[in-house]
Amino acid sequence: MSRAQRNRLEAGGLVDRSQVLDFSFDGKRYRGHAGDTLASALLANGVRLVGRSFKYHRPRGIFSAGAEEPSALVELRDGGRREPNTRATVAELYDGLEATSQNRWPSLGLDVLSMNRLVAPFLGAGFYYKTFMWPAKAWEKLYEPFIRRAAGLGRAAEGTDPDHYEKATTFCDVLVIGAGPAGLMAALAAGRTGARVILADEDFLPGGRLNAEVHEIGGQQGAAYAAHVAAELASLPNVRVMTRTTVFGVYDGGTYGALEKVNDHLRVPSPFQPRHRFWRIVARRAVLAAGATERPIVFGGNDRPGVMLAGAVGTYVQRFAVRPGRHVALFANNDAAWRGMLAAQAAGANVEAIVDVRGDVASVLTEAAKAKDIRVFTGARVIATHGKKLRTIDVASAERGHERLYIDTLAVSGGWSPAVHLTCHHGGRPVWNEAVAAFVPGATPPGLSVAGAANGSFALGAILKEGAQQGAEAAEALGFPVPPLDVPHTSEESTALQPFWHVADSKGAAFVDLQNDVTAKDVGIAHREGFRSVEHLKRYTTLGMATDQGRTSNVTGLAIMAELTGASIAETGTTIFRPPYTPVSLGALAGHHRGKDFRPVRLTPTHEWAAKLGAVFVETGPWLRAQYFPRKGEKDWLETVTREVKAVRSSVGLIDVSTFGKIDLQGPDVGTFLDRVYINTFSTLAVGKARYGVMLREDGMVMDDGTTARLAPEHYVMTTTTANAAKVYQHLEFCLQVLWPELDVSLASVSEHWAQIAIAGPVARTVLSRVVDKDVDVSDAALPFMGAIEGTVMGGVKARLFRLSFSGELGYEIAVPARQGAKLAQALMEAGHEYGITPYGTEALGVMRIEKGHVSGNELSGQTTAGDLGLGRMASPKKDYIGRVMAGRAGLIDPDRPSLVGFKPADRTKRLRAGAHFLGLGAPADMAHDEGYMTSVAYSPHLGHWIGLGLLKGGAKRVGDRVRAYDPVRGEEFELEVCAPGFIDPQGERLRG
Amino acid sequence: MRIPCPYCGERDAHEFAYLGDATLTRPDPAAEDAEARFHDYVYLRDNPAGAHVEWWYHANGCRQWLKVERDTRTHAIAAARAAREADTPAGDAA
Amino acid sequence: MHYSWLSILKNGLTGQKGWTPAWRDAAPKPAYDVIIVGGGGHGLATAYYLAKVHGIHNVAVIEKGYIGSGNAGRNTTIIRSNYLLPGNEPFYEWSMKLWEGLEQELNYNAMVSQRGVLNLFHSDAQRDAYARRGNAMRLAGVDSELLDRRQVRAMYPFLDFDNARFPVHGGLLQRRGGTARHDAVVWGYARAADRLGVDIIQNCEVTGFLREGDAIVGVETSRGPIRSAKVGLAVAGNSSRVAQKAGLRLPIESHVLQAFVSEGLKPLIDGVVTFGAGHFYISQSDKGGLVFGGDIDGYNSYAQRGNLPVVEDVAESGMALMPRIGRLRLLRMWGGIMDMSMDGSPIIDRTPVPGLYLNAGWCYGGFKATPASGWCFAHLLAKDEFHDVGGAYRLDRFRTGHLIDEKGVGAQPNLH
C-alpha cells in the first residue's frame, strides 16, 4: 500500500503505517500516514518542488521540519476555509487534505513571474525606493498595481469563515513552554511537587528533539522516554499537557497568550468543536523550554529544492521514516550535524558526503563516516549548486580543489539559535554568547526562566538537568516542597562548532532570507548605503520580516553585516522579537465576537412586547430600541413616525425609556453632592419634586443632562442619557470616593432594576389613572408638573411616578421593577385603548424633542458649553461645581461661539439634513465663512415641514436672519430661516395641562 | 496586566477604567488664581517614565476607585489601595 | 547620488557596487544654528525644510538611537486630511499636498499611494457626524464623498453587510487619502536633508540643556555639549521626559498604541477602511500584509508594548467587519509610545523657556502630519512666527480655552 510512497523507509519512525491517509497537492493525489506532516508526506512521495519565492519567484522546496519553515508555504483547504501561507512542515496530515501551491501562475512548474530572475540584478535591496518615481502620476496607476499583484503569497479565504473559535482563561502555578527534553523534565519536576502545572507544546507529539534524533536516556530510546514522561505527566491530576498549543506571547502580570489548534488535524472540525481556541494562561511562574532553531550556512544556490537544514533531514528520517532524497550530503560546521547524519545513514538514508568548513574535525566522527563509505571533505565549502531541483553541488577545498558531486539533498547546518523569542516580549534583548556562538536570553519577563537549548545549552545531558532544575525552582519559589528528582543518564555529546556564516566565494545568488529573497549581496548594498544598524538592515532589506520571522536568517544576516563593518557580532547586536511567536489566526483572537455576536445586545424590558407589535429596532449603543412601529399600508418610516407623533400630540402614546441611566443616591449629604456635580442647585429641591440638571466635565464642557428627583429628604434618584449612563456613574463615584470622601452619600446604579415607560399626550393622565392603584392620586394637584411620587400600580406593583415631558405634552414616566415592564406596557395599552393609545419609537421621540427644542446626544457632543446650548442661565452663581472654573476661560465664553437656534427651510418643501454647515447669504463657501452646523433635524407633523436645531455663530441674536444650509456631500444648498429653538407650545401650556 | 483589587482580588486590567495621575489635588475653586491652578490640575502632567501613582476604577467589579502604583516602563504594579483608604498603609495589596 | 533609471541601470550592470551612503553618519560639531532633537520623521522633515525653504543649512538632527526608531516606524502608515475642526483641517491638507509631491521633492520613493480612506458609519447619528465632517472638509477645499451602503458595497463587497451587529450604513470617503511607506519617509527626508548639509547624528542622547540665564543655548549629549541658539524638540513619545530636563510640564501623557500586521496575501483590500462601530482601521501594504490597529491600551506607558485586551478587541472588530479574515494570521504586533495630548491635537510652539521650541502631542496622528509638521516647525524655528496652517497648535490654548478637540472627550488623553 505504501509502495507509492517511494521515499518512505520500510521501518522505524513514529508514523502509523496502518493508517493510510489520502491527500492531494496541486490536484495530484498522494498517500501518507497518521503521524505525518504535509511536508513529510510530500517528501515520502518524492515531491520536492512546493512553492515559489516572494520576490524572484524562484522554485523552492521544503527547507525545515518545523515552525521556522521559510519556503514550503501552501494554501490549505478551499472556499471559506482557505488558509494561505500554511507551513507544510507543521500542518498535520489528515485524510482528504487538499493543498495548493501559491505565488505562481499559471502553475508551480511554469511560473511566468520567474522571469523576474532576468531582472534580478537590478532589483537589489532598496530598489523600490530609488525608482518608479517617473512620471510622478504613474505610481498608483502603473507601478503599484503591478507590484501589489506580484507581491503577497497566498490568497485569503473566499467567503465567511464557517468555523468557530473560542477563547478561554486558565490559571496555573507553573507554565512550561515546550515539551522537548527540557520542558518534559521541568514539568515533571514541578508536577511532582503538587503545583498546578501546564505543559504546552506546539507539536501534536511531546518530545521535541527526542523524536527527531537518536538518543539513549536512562536505558530507553529518546522517543520512548519522552512518551514515558508524557504518560506520567498525563497521570498527575495537577498537570495538564496541552499539545497543539503554541504559547505565542508574554503579557503583563504573568499572562501568556496561547493558541490551541483544536481541530486543524481534521478535514473539518468535529461537531460543536472550535477550530482554534485562544488561551489566556495566567501563570505565577513559567519555564521557557522552547528549544533552538538550526541556522543554515549561506552560499550561492542555497535555495534550490533539495537544500535542507541538517536537523530537518534527521527529523524526516527518524521521526517520519522518510528519505528526503536519494543522494544526501552534509555541509556543516559542527559536530551535532555529523552525528545526526551518521544516525540518518544508519536508519537508511544514503549519505554520500560530508563537507565541513573546519579543517580539524574529531577523528571519532571522520572515522565513523569513512567506515560507512561517506566521503569526507574537511576545510571545505560548497561553492555552487545546480539543477531546478538540486542535482549537483560543487565543493571546494584546499586539499582536493574543486569537485562536483551528484547530490539531490544537501543537509546544511551552521549551528543553532536558541528560541529566545518569548524572553524578548518585555523588551529583553538577547546577548551574544561567544562560547556557544549564539544569542542567548538577556533580561527575561518577570517570573519566566529559561531552560535547555532555549538557554544556549545544547548537550542533552545538560538540557535534562537544567529542565529539572528550573521546574523544581519555579515550584519551590511558590512554596511547594520539592522532592528529589533523579535526572536520567544520557551519553555525553560534543557540541563543538566553528562559527561560519557565508561562503563568500560561492557562485550565484546566496540567500540569507529564503522567503523574502534577501541575498548576501543585499546585505552588502545595505552596508554600502549606510543601513548598518540591525534595525535599518532589517527594514531596508526586509530581512527577517517574512512569515517565518527570520528564524533561519536573522543571525546569519547580521553576522554577514558584522563581517562587512568589521564589528563583532556582540557589537552589532540583534533585533528583538515581537509577539506572536508564530502567526496566530485572527479568528481565534476574535473568538465568538463576530457577526451578530460581535458585541452583547441589551434589550429593553418591553422588547418582546414591541417585537410582537411589529417594531423596527435600531442599534443605540449596546441597546436595541424600538425605532418605530409600522402599520400595514404605511409607505415609509416617515409616514409611520408622523402618525405616531400626531397620536401623541392629539391623544396619547407610550415609549419605553428604560435605557436611560438611573442612579439611586442616598444619605444626608446628597443635596450638597448634587450641588457640586450639577451646574444648578438640587439641595433646595422639595421632596416629591424633580428638576432638570446639567453637569459639566472639569474642563467646562457639558458632560450630560437629565432629571433628578427627590423621593425623600435623603433619597434622590437621577436619570442620565442612555449614552452616558456608565460614564456619569463612574464620574459620580470619582467625585464621591476621590474628591469628597467626607460626604455621606451612597450611590447605586439601578438602571437594570427599573423598567421605565413614558406616556405622553393630552389624555395621558386619564390613562395613568387607570393603571395606578386606588390610593394613588395623580391629579394635577397631587402630581403637578415636575412632580415625583412613589406608589403602586396594577394591583400592588411598586412604582415611581414622575411627571416629566420630553415631548412637550402632558407626560409621565412610570418606573416599575424591571420584570414588570412588559406587563406595565400592556396595562397601559389596555387602559388607553379607547383613546387609540399608540406605541412610539425613538424616531417619534426625537421628532417631538426637536419640535420642543430640547437638546440631546447630537448637541451634547462634548464640544459644547452650557452657554452654547442655551442652558447657561441655569448655572447657579452662588456655589462651586465641577467645571465652573474652566468654563470661565475666554475661549469658552467667547460670544462668537456657535450656539443653539432653530431652523426652518425658506422653501418649506425642502428636507433638512443634520451635518449641513451654515453660510451667510452670498458668502463664499470656505472655512473663513463657516458659521456652524445643523445638529438635529425632523419633519414636524405639527408644522407640516422640516425643522432643525443647530449651532450658529451669534446664536439667539440671529433669530430672523437667513443663512444657507451648505451640504455638498449630499449635493444640497438652500436657504434657511433662523428661529428660536422651540417650534411648539413655547409657553409650555401643554405639559402643564 | 493584573490589578490586585483590595476588594475583589487580582483581576485583569480590562475590568477597570483608567483615569491617570492620582497625585493631583483638585484646587481650591475660591482661590484668587483658581483658573491658573485649575489649568495645571486639568491639563498638566508629570507623565513620568517609572513609578506612577494612578487612578483605576473597577467598573466591572466593585466599582471602587483604586490608587495604583505602577511602573510605566515595565507595567509592574507595586500596590493598589481603595481611594478612600489610600492614605492608610497598603492592606492586602500585592 | 541622484536616483534615476540610469543609476539603477548602471548599478544593476555593475553588481550594485556603485551606491553610496544615503546619508552621512555625522559626528557632532561644537555648534549649529539650529538643533533638532529627535531623528524621526518630524525632526528630519523639520531639518530638511529649514535647509530647503529657509536656507538654514547649519542644522543638526540628534537621535538617541538610529533614525526612525520611534513612532515613524511603528504606525499603520495612513495618510489623510479628513479632519473636522478648523484648527486641524488646513494643516492636514497642507500635509497631504506635501505628500503628493514628496517623491519628486526628495528624489526618494516613499510609496505615497492615494488609494482612498473610507470611514464607515453605522447609524443615522454617525452619518450626520460624518456629513458634518465631510462638509467641513469641502469648506477647506478638500475632497470628501458621503457614500451610501450600496456604494460602499460596490467598493468592498466582502465587508459584513448581512449579518452585522452594527450594520454598515455608508461611509465618508477621501479618495486622496491612502498610505505611505513609513520607513522610506524617514530615509527620504534624511537623505535629502543630508544632501543640503544637515548633520544627522545617531546614537547621541540628549542628557540635558545648556543654559545661559533663563535661555537654552544648546544641549548636553552623550557625545558632549553642542551649542545652538535654537533647540527644537521633536521627540514624540518622550516629550515629557525631555521637556522635564528643561523644567517644563506638558499637557501630555505617554500611552502605548499597538499595531498589527498579518502574513502577506494577494491583494484583498485596496484602500484604507475604518470601522465605525469599534476601534479598527486596516489597509494592505504593497508587500501584501494587512496592516491594522485599534485603540490605545489606555494607561500611561513607556514600554512600547501592550496587552491582550486591545489585541482581542482589534481582532474582534476585524472579524466583525470582514468575516473572511478569520483564517489569516497575525504575524507581528508591536507598540509605540504616543504623545497623547489633553485635547487630542498637537503642539507646535515656542515654550516659556527662551530658545526652546516644541513639536509634540501628536497622539496617534503623527505619521500623516510628518511633512506639514516639519514645514510648520521649520517656519517657527526660522522666523519665530507661526505658519498659517499650524497656527492653532499653541501651547497656551489650554489656558485660553481655544481647544481643538475633534472627539469632544475633554481632558482625558486615553479617550482621544
Side-chain angles (χ1 to χ4, degrees):
Chain A
M1 199 182 320
S2 61
R3 191 159 306 149
Q5 299 178 37
R6 58 193 166 98
N7 284 338
R8 182 78 68 183
L9 297 167
E10 290 300 323
L14 301 170
V15 293
D16 180 355
R17 288 179 176 75
S18 70
Q19 287 191 58
V20 177
L21 307 176
D22 286 313
F23 72 101
S24 77
F25 177 64
D26 276 348
K28 282 178 86 171
R29 305 215 64 85
Y30 302 98
R31 286 174 169 183
H33 294 303
D36 263 327
T37 62
L38 174 58
S40 69
L42 286 169
L43 288 170
N45 286 278
V47 178
R48 290 150 60 83
L49 173 61
V50 292
R52 290 278 175 173
S53 70
F54 179 75
K55 187 167 166 188
Y56 301 127
H57 289 247
R58 289 170 64 107
R60 293 283 162 81
I62 293 162
F63 187 68
S64 75
E68 67 271 31
E69 180 59 33
S71 296
L73 308 183
V74 299
E75 285 177 2
L76 205 58
R77 303 183 167 90
D78 56 11
R81 288 197 169 92
R82 186 166 65 203
E83 279 165 57
N85 308 331
T86 300
R87 299 147 207 244
T89 50
V90 295
E92 269 180 74
L93 194 67
Y94 54 82
D95 198 42
L97 179 149
E98 291 182 11
T100 317
S101 59
Q102 53 188 34
N103 203 33
R104 82 288 185 272
W105 186 86
S107 73
L108 184 57
L110 185 85
D111 177 17
V112 168
L113 280 177
S114 63
M115 287 190 313
N116 277 3
R117 72 178 186 274
L118 300 177
V119 290
F122 302 97
L123 304 183
F127 166 73
Y128 297 102
Y129 306 127
K130 297 168 187 157
T131 183
F132 298 130
M133 291 179 274
W134 320 279
K137 290 279 172 206
W139 174 249
E140 282 98 338
K141 293 202 167 56
L142 182 66
Y143 304 123
E144 191 183 41
F146 177 79
I147 291 167
R148 286 174 79 85
R149 270 198 299 277
L153 291 165
R155 299 163 300 163
E158 261 160 11
T160 297
D161 187 344
D163 290 338
H164 293 275
Y165 297 85
E166 272 182 12
K167 302 194 200 192
T169 304
T170 188
F171 298 81
C172 65
D173 295 313
V174 181
L175 169 66
V176 180
I177 301 160
L184 286 169
M185 293 312 290
L188 196 61
R192 284 182 181 169
T193 68
R196 290 173 307 162
V197 174
I198 291 177
L199 172 63
D201 194 285
E202 59 185 354
D203 204 333
F204 54 94
L205 188 68
R209 66 184 279 195
L210 298 181
N211 296 325
E213 297 171 3
V214 177
H215 295 284
E216 201 183 282
I217 303 177
Q220 275 183 299
Q221 275 297 310
Y225 179 75
H228 166 83
V229 175
E232 180 182 340
L233 290 169
S235 75
L236 294 174
N238 55 319
V239 176
R240 177 172 190 175
V241 180
M242 298 173 75
T243 52
R244 301 185 173 110
T245 303
T246 307
V247 176
F248 66 75
V250 189
Y251 299 91
D252 286 310
T255 305
Y256 293 76
L259 181 77
E260 181 185 7
K261 292 178 181 169
V262 186
N263 271 293
D264 269 356
H265 59 296
L266 301 174
R267 203 170 61 79
V268 296
S270 310
F272 311 111
Q273 286 270 323
R275 175 185 171 229
H276 290 169
R277 189 177 288 124
F278 160 56
W279 287 96
R280 310 172 195 97
I281 302 173
V282 182
R284 299 169 72 197
R285 286 285 187 286
V287 178
L288 178 67
T293 303
E294 197 168 16
R295 60 197 185 216
I297 294 170
V298 173
F299 53 92
N302 61 339
D303 67 326
R304 282 180 221 286
V307 178
M308 195 181 277
L309 290 171
V313 171
T315 303
Y316 288 117
V317 171
Q318 308 297 352
R319 175 170 171 179
F320 299 105
V322 168
R323 257 190 308 264
R326 295 277 159 177
H327 310 279
V328 181
L330 171 69
F331 179 30
N333 66 345
N334 64 81
D335 287 4
W338 283 70
R339 276 196 308 278
M341 217 42 53
L342 293 169
Q345 169 85 345
N350 179 25
V351 180
E352 298 184 1
I354 295 181
V355 182
D356 198 311
V357 296
R358 296 174 294 178
D360 188 18
V361 179
S363 62
V364 58
L365 295 171
T366 54
E367 292 309 318
K370 285 172 186 162
K372 291 183 176 172
D373 288 335
I374 298 173
R375 299 182 62 194
V376 171
F377 300 78
T378 51
R381 60 213 185 277
V382 175
I383 55 163
T385 69
H386 308 279
K388 180 174 174 183
K389 290 175 266 187
L390 185 67
R391 281 206 326 272
T392 60
I393 62 171
D394 293 346
V395 176
S397 66
E399 212 173 293
R400 302 198 203 172
H402 287 200
E403 190 166 341
R404 178 160 295 183
L405 306 180
Y406 288 82
I407 289 297
D408 63 6
T409 300
L410 178 61
V412 183
S413 178
W416 294 79
S417 297
V420 298
H421 303 65
L422 296 187
T423 68
C424 301
H425 287 185
H426 281 211
R429 199 166 278 277
V431 291
W432 182 254
N433 181 325
E434 198 68 45
V436 297
F439 280 100
V440 298
T444 61
L448 179 101
S449 61
V450 192
N455 204 27
S457 303
F458 296 129
L460 186 59
I463 288 172
L464 294 168
K465 251 183 239 142
E466 238 179 64
Q469 189 184 342
Q470 296 291 352
E473 280 179 12
E476 195 170 26
L478 298 172
F480 292 91
V482 178
L485 176 74
D486 283 334
V487 178
H489 177 77
T490 184
S491 54
E492 290 294 310
E493 54 185 24
S494 152
T495 55
L497 172 147
Q498 175 187 315
F500 187 85
W501 311 103
H502 174 210
V503 183
D505 60 345
S506 58
K507 295 183 198 72
F511 288 88
V512 181
D513 183 326
L514 284 166
Q515 193 178 136
N516 270 351
D517 279 350
V518 179
T519 63
K521 195 162 132 187
D522 291 324
V523 178
I525 296 175
H527 173 255
R528 219 162 284 136
E529 299 192 42
F531 295 91
R532 294 177 186 184
S533 87
V534 285
E535 291 287 350
H536 279 156
L537 170 66
K538 167 177 142 185
R539 290 153 189 245
Y540 195 59
T541 63
T542 74
L543 172 72
M545 296 181 82
T547 64
D548 60 324
Q549 294 153 317
R551 279 180 169 68
T552 59
S553 60
N554 281 345
V555 176
T556 326
L558 67 88
I560 294 172
M561 179 59 86
E563 282 175 3
L564 291 169
T565 58
S568 69
I569 293 176
E571 285 161 349
T572 304
T574 181
T575 56
I576 68 170
F577 295 96
R578 312 265 174 212
Y581 174 68
T582 51
V584 177
S585 61
L586 285 166
L589 294 171
H592 291 295
H593 297 265
R594 49 189 280 206
K596 292 276 190 214
D597 298 329
F598 167 53
R599 290 288 177 259
V601 179
R602 295 180 76 179
L603 299 180
T604 65
T606 60
H607 186 85
E608 292 295 318
W609 167 81
K612 271 189 207 137
L613 291 172
V616 170
F617 294 96
V618 63
E619 299 81 14
T620 311
W623 295 96
L624 273 187
R625 296 186 73 184
Q627 189 176 15
Y628 50 93
F629 294 76
R631 285 188 186 160
K632 258 199 196 117
E634 288 175 341
K635 68 177 189 301
D636 60 11
W637 67 271
L638 186 56
E639 186 178 339
T640 302
V641 171
T642 300
R643 169 181 53 75
E644 291 173 8
V645 171
K646 283 180 170 167
V648 174
R649 297 241 185 265
S650 64
S651 181
V652 64
L654 80 163
I655 182 170
D656 188 328
V657 293
S658 308
T659 61
F660 289 162
K662 306 177 208 73
I663 299 168
D664 206 76
L665 304 98
Q666 300 193 35
D669 296 330
V670 177
T672 309
F673 177 64
L674 291 175
D675 285 351
R676 293 183 189 179
V677 296
Y678 277 127
I679 66 172
N680 46 337
T681 306
F682 280 79
S683 53
T684 56
L685 185 67
V687 171
K689 294 291 280 183
R691 184 169 286 166
Y692 173 73
V694 171
M695 57 178 80
L696 308 184
R697 300 187 306 232
E698 193 69 278
D699 71 348
M701 296 292 177
V702 174
M703 172 154 69
D704 200 49
D705 69 349
T707 2
T708 289
R710 191 171 197 173
L711 299 177
E714 297 188 3
H715 186 194
Y716 288 67
V717 57
M718 174 188 285
T719 57
T720 75
T721 59
T722 302
N724 290 329
K727 189 161 87 179
V728 170
Y729 186 83
Q730 177 180 327
H731 171 67
L732 296 185
E733 287 286 13
F734 181 81
C735 292
L736 208 49
Q737 296 177 34
V738 175
L739 298 183
W740 309 305
E742 71 279 8
L743 293 184
D744 188 355
V745 176
S746 294
L747 300 180
S749 168
V750 294
S751 302
E752 307 281 333
H753 307 56
W754 295 90
Q756 199 148 318
I757 292 178
I759 60 168
V763 300
R765 184 181 298 123
T766 310
V767 175
L768 177 64
S769 67
R770 293 178 184 183
V771 299
V772 297
D773 290 345
K774 281 205 177 65
D775 59 335
V776 181
D777 183 358
V778 295
S779 68
D780 190 43
L783 184 55
F785 181 57
M786 298 308 274
I789 58 173
E790 291 178 286
T792 56
V793 298
M794 299 185 295
V797 175
K798 183 171 72 173
R800 290 172 177 172
L801 306 175
F802 307 94
R803 186 165 162 194
L804 307 171
S805 179
F806 200 44
S807 60
E809 300 300 325
L810 170 64
Y812 300 89
E813 289 183 13
I814 308 143
V816 293
R819 65 183 177 281
Q820 306 283 354
K823 193 175 150 196
L824 175 64
Q826 193 52 41
L828 289 166
M829 288 297 281
E830 283 159 20
H833 182 72
E834 69 179 89
Y835 303 105
I837 190 168
T838 300
Y840 64 99
T842 53
E843 287 294 331
L845 182 77
V847 170
M848 290 187 278
R849 74 98 185 164
I850 293 167
E851 284 184 327
K852 194 64 192 158
H854 288 312
V855 295
S856 183
N858 294 0
E859 288 78 29
L860 303 178
S861 61
Q863 298 159 326
T864 44
T865 65
D868 296 344
L869 303 179
L871 305 170
R873 273 169 304 173
M874 284 172 58
S876 164
K878 295 184 207 149
K879 58 165 189 146
D880 184 54
Y881 50 86
I882 296 278
R884 184 187 65 83
V885 174
M886 289 281 91
R889 286 176 291 170
L892 275 72
I893 53 173
D894 184 346
D896 211 27
R897 286 180 68 91
S899 59
L900 191 77
V901 283
F903 295 90
K904 297 174 182 175
D907 170 355
R908 298 284 199 258
T909 65
K910 291 284 191 193
R911 175 177 177 171
L912 303 188
R913 293 186 194 274
H917 282 241
F918 303 130
L919 293 171
L921 299 184
D926 59 26
M927 268 180 34
H929 295 86
D930 187 2
E931 298 201 293
Y933 73 103
M934 192 82 83
T935 54
S936 301
V937 300
Y939 175 78
S940 167
H942 176 70
L943 296 174
H945 60 78
W946 285 82
I947 57 172
L949 298 175
L951 297 163
L952 178 68
K953 274 187 185 167
K957 286 183 299 206
R958 304 282 298 275
V959 169
D961 276 7
R962 286 193 169 204
V963 293
R964 280 143 68 210
Y966 180 72
D967 192 17
V969 295
R970 286 172 292 209
E972 288 185 344
E973 187 174 346
F974 50 81
E975 277 185 32
L976 302 169
E977 289 173 15
V978 182
C979 59
F983 298 87
I984 187 169
D985 187 26
Q987 305 310 317
E989 286 156 13
R990 287 165 174 252
L991 43 83
R992 291 176 207 279
Chain B
M1 204 143 65
R2 302 194 46 90
I3 295 177
C5 175
Y7 293 102
C8 308
E10 187 186 281
R11 297 299 174 99
D12 194 86
H14 82 267
E15 293 183 7
F16 299 77
Y18 179 80
L19 193 66
D21 194 334
T23 62
L24 304 161
T25 309
R26 189 170 190 265
D28 175 6
E32 190 110 321
D33 56 347
E35 192 170 305
R37 289 194 200 190
F38 266 86
H39 164 266
D40 293 2
Y41 167 68
V42 173
Y43 293 110
L44 298 189
R45 299 289 179 267
D46 287 340
N47 191 25
H52 192 233
V53 182
E54 55 201 23
W55 293 119
W56 291 79
Y57 171 65
H58 201 178
N60 296 312
C62 57
R63 294 180 171 172
Q64 295 301 301
W65 280 93
L66 308 181
K67 206 174 213 181
V68 176
E69 289 176 47
R70 192 179 57 93
D71 191 306
T72 59
R73 292 165 305 183
T74 64
H75 300 170
I77 293 172
R81 296 173 215 165
R84 283 185 167 127
E85 284 122 44
D87 295 330
T88 60
D92 49 353
Chain C
M1 73 188 293
H2 193 77
Y3 297 149
S4 65
W5 287 121
L6 192 67
S7 70
I8 297 281
L9 189 68
K10 215 169 95 188
N11 272 287
L13 296 173
T14 56
Q16 308 277 5
K17 297 255 163 65
W19 300 116
T20 55
W23 64 87
R24 292 167 295 126
D25 195 9
K29 294 191 288 194
Y32 291 89
D33 293 343
V34 179
I35 290 173
I36 306 296
V37 183
H42 290 230
L44 291 163
T46 304
Y48 171 72
Y49 292 118
L50 274 172
K52 180 74 196 284
V53 178
H54 303 284
I56 302 173
H57 299 270
N58 188 25
V59 175
V61 176
I62 298 177
E63 167 55 45
K64 179 173 72 169
Y66 58 94
I67 62 166
S69 53
N71 295 330
R74 292 169 188 272
N75 55 75
T76 46
T77 79
I78 297 168
I79 60 172
R80 58 185 174 88
S81 58
N82 57 357
Y83 280 74
L84 169 68
L85 299 176
N88 278 326
E89 182 59 7
F91 173 85
Y92 286 100
E93 176 57 13
W94 178 236
S95 210
M96 183 59 78
K97 292 221 166 71
L98 293 173
W99 283 117
E100 285 171 334
L102 194 73
E103 279 117 358
Q104 309 300 318
E105 170 87 22
L106 301 181
N107 180 235
Y108 205 84
N109 189 354
M111 302 183 194
V112 173
S113 175
Q114 296 176 290
R115 283 172 287 119
V117 171
L118 177 66
N119 301 132
L120 299 174
F121 55 79
H122 308 262
S123 70
D124 290 352
Q126 213 174 12
R127 175 201 59 214
D128 294 340
Y130 278 147
R132 176 190 173 199
R133 189 183 344 167
N135 287 329
M137 292 163 66
R138 294 285 193 97
L139 284 169
V142 180
D143 70 305
S144 68
E145 293 166 55
L146 197 68
L147 307 186
D148 62 19
R149 180 180 159 93
R150 188 185 49 78
Q151 291 168 302
V152 171
R153 196 165 194 156
M155 283 182 80
Y156 292 104
F158 51 84
L159 303 184
D160 192 346
F161 288 94
D162 302 317
N163 185 42
R165 171 72 179 81
F166 298 103
V168 173
H169 288 204
L172 180 68
L173 175 65
Q174 184 185 22
R175 289 191 194 273
R176 286 164 63 244
T179 57
R181 169 85 179 95
H182 56 8
D183 291 327
V185 174
V186 173
W187 302 333
Y189 273 117
R191 174 170 164 270
D194 174 85
R195 291 166 87 189
L196 294 172
V198 170
D199 277 1
I200 296 166
I201 304 163
Q202 302 186 92
N203 300 308
C204 181
E205 183 173 1
V206 168
T207 54
F209 292 97
L210 301 174
R211 312 283 294 236
E212 270 175 17
D214 285 346
I216 278 176
V217 294
V219 291
E220 297 274 11
T221 77
S222 53
R223 295 169 72 174
I226 312 174
R227 295 185 71 85
S228 175
K230 291 183 177 180
V231 176
L233 302 184
V235 291
N238 288 294
S239 297
S240 299
R241 297 167 76 175
V242 181
Q244 192 263 335
K245 294 182 203 297
L248 288 176
R249 286 173 90 210
L250 299 179
I252 286 173
E253 286 181 4
S254 295
H255 283 254
V256 61
L257 176 70
Q258 302 190 62
F260 307 86
V261 64
S262 80
E263 295 181 345
L265 300 171
K266 290 298 175 193
L268 175 68
I269 300 171
D270 193 44
V272 179
V273 182
T274 76
F275 187 36
H279 291 277
F280 183 73
Y281 36 91
I282 188 165
S283 66
Q284 187 169 16
S285 77
D286 284 344
K287 277 185 66 194
L290 303 183
V291 181
F292 51 100
D295 207 355
I296 54 176
D297 266 44
Y299 43 79
N300 287 45
S301 174
Y302 286 91
Q304 291 196 327
R305 62 188 177 79
N307 275 294
L308 285 170
V310 166
V311 177
E312 294 178 45
D313 186 70
V314 164
E316 289 164 6
S317 297
M319 281 296 280
L321 185 63
M322 297 182 297
R324 71 173 49 191
I325 65 172
R327 303 185 96 84
L328 304 183
R329 301 185 193 92
L330 174 65
L331 176 61
R332 241 189 340 267
M333 46 185 142
W334 62 94
I337 311 171
M338 306 293 120
D339 258 14
M340 297 305 296
S341 74
M342 285 285 168
D343 65 354
S345 294
I347 296 155
I348 301 177
D349 203 348
R350 302 181 196 91
T351 69
V353 182
L356 186 65
Y357 298 72
L358 182 66
N359 175 331
W362 291 96
C363 297
Y364 46 95
F367 178 68
K368 71 180 88 69
T370 305
S373 169
W375 185 281
C376 291
F377 200 35
H379 188 96
L380 179 67
L381 282 160
K383 305 193 164 201
D384 261 311
E385 53 191 47
F386 296 101
H387 189 272
D388 285 348
V389 301
Y393 297 148
R394 308 287 178 93
L395 187 53
D396 71 356
R397 67 178 185 268
F398 303 96
R399 222 173 267 286
T400 63
H402 293 98
L403 303 159
I404 314 171
D405 185 354
E406 289 267 333
K407 278 191 171 172
V409 294
Q412 206 181 323
N414 64 340
L415 301 181
H416 283 291

